[in-house]
Amino acid sequence: MTKKTLHALSVLALRGETDEVVANSHELTEITRELKQLIADAGSERLEEAPIYGYV
């Protein structure tokens, strides 16, 4: 995640303001897709730790 996206998520958590998160939703969608693919590639579809180190 980029610094901008992390900041947007922290603003959402602290203030409840969703404008920045909505503006970054395309980036969050891409990150989610990539993480799901990494988990699938690792064969960790159950609830267990997957080898995704240093992603953020």
Side-chain angles (χ1 to χ4, degrees):
M1 274 190 231
T2 65
K3 184 177 178 181
K4 182 178 176 183
T5 304
L6 289 172
H7 176 24
L9 290 172
S10 68
V11 168
L12 173 66
L14 295 173
R15 299 184 197 148
E17 298 173 9
T18 60
D19 297 339
E20 289 183 48
V21 173
V22 171
N24 289 311
S25 65
H26 66 283
E27 187 173 338
L28 291 171
T29 301
E30 169 113 9
I31 290 167
T32 301
R33 188 176 318 122
E34 185 175 342
L35 284 172
K36 285 180 178 180
Q37 185 60 49
L38 288 170
I39 291 169
D41 291 348
S44 299
E45 295 167 355
R46 298 185 325 254
L47 294 176
E48 62 183 52
E49 188 175 327
I52 301 171
Y53 303 107
Y55 185 80
V56 175

